[in-house]
Amino acid sequence: MTTAIVLTATVPGWPARAAETTPTPPVIPIAHSALLTIDATNTDDSLALHIKHAGNQIPIDGRDVTVSVDGKEQPVTPQPEGTFLLDTKDLRGDGERQLDIIVAHDGIREILTGKVALPKARTTDLWSNHTQMAWWILNIAIVLIAVLAFSRRKSSSSKEESDPDD
């Protein structure tokens, strides 16, 4: 009979830090009924609506979902496991938005209503952030001045070395 001993070595704090670097987005409760619950997770460019049966939390099988934001119908993209992606371009900022979600499942149609408030999107565009642009211009100007100063110093020292009679 052979006995195997398995030794594992871990670096203190390393696996925990790897898990900390990818935080899960918070779940936003949107609406619920006696048969369904709808939660959402916010990403940079979309809102993932997770539609599940209320009793057992199993995702719905249906693909027939319609979403209206403040009365205006919005396109949704079906994903696996009862998830539907809603573009958040028109949802960000301006306070709460009303979501009317029509779900066809198990031979019935349910209309669920909820509210969601998403923060304004962070702009990473260099041209829209004026202070960042000012810093870039200042840094470039400093580098150009330094290059000019060094090139003049080098050219004046080379003239002195080549003309020792003066």
Side-chain angles (χ1 to χ4, degrees):
M1 182 162 114
T2 307
T3 304
I5 298 174
V6 178
L7 298 175
T8 59
T10 60
V11 176
W14 182 53
R17 287 188 185 147
E20 290 173 7
T21 58
T22 56
T24 58
V27 175
I28 304 167
I30 301 292
H32 70 281
S33 69
L35 298 175
L36 296 177
T37 60
I38 301 177
D39 296 325
T41 51
N42 185 20
T43 62
D44 290 335
D45 59 348
S46 64
L47 187 68
L49 300 171
H50 308 286
I51 305 174
K52 301 176 183 175
H53 292 281
N56 55 13
Q57 295 299 307
I58 295 175
I60 64 166
D61 290 334
R63 298 265 181 208
D64 190 12
V65 173
T66 305
V67 177
S68 297
V69 178
D70 293 334
K72 182 180 175 188
E73 190 171 323
Q74 300 290 325
V76 290
T77 306
Q79 299 291 312
E81 298 184 11
T83 301
F84 297 85
L85 294 180
L86 174 65
D87 185 29
T88 57
K89 180 176 53 173
D90 298 330
L91 286 176
R92 298 212 176 264
D94 299 333
E96 284 189 338
R97 301 297 185 110
Q98 181 172 332
L99 297 178
D100 296 319
I101 304 165
I102 302 171
V103 182
H105 68 98
D106 302 326
I108 61 171
R109 288 182 53 179
E110 282 194 62
I111 301 173
L112 293 97
T113 301
K115 292 189 182 274
V116 65
L118 298 176
K120 289 186 179 182
R122 295 179 300 198
T123 58
T124 57
D125 186 16
L126 180 63
W127 298 106
S128 66
N129 192 346
H130 299 294
T131 56
Q132 181 69 34
M133 192 61 175
W135 280 109
W136 275 95
I137 291 171
L138 179 64
N139 286 334
I140 291 170
I142 290 171
V143 168
L144 289 175
I145 291 170
V147 167
L148 287 173
F150 283 128
S151 67
R152 286 186 182 198
R153 184 181 298 172
K154 191 166 189 153
S155 66
S156 66
S157 67
S158 66
K159 282 182 183 179
E160 290 173 5
E161 290 176 7
S162 67
D163 201 14
D165 295 335
D166 289 341

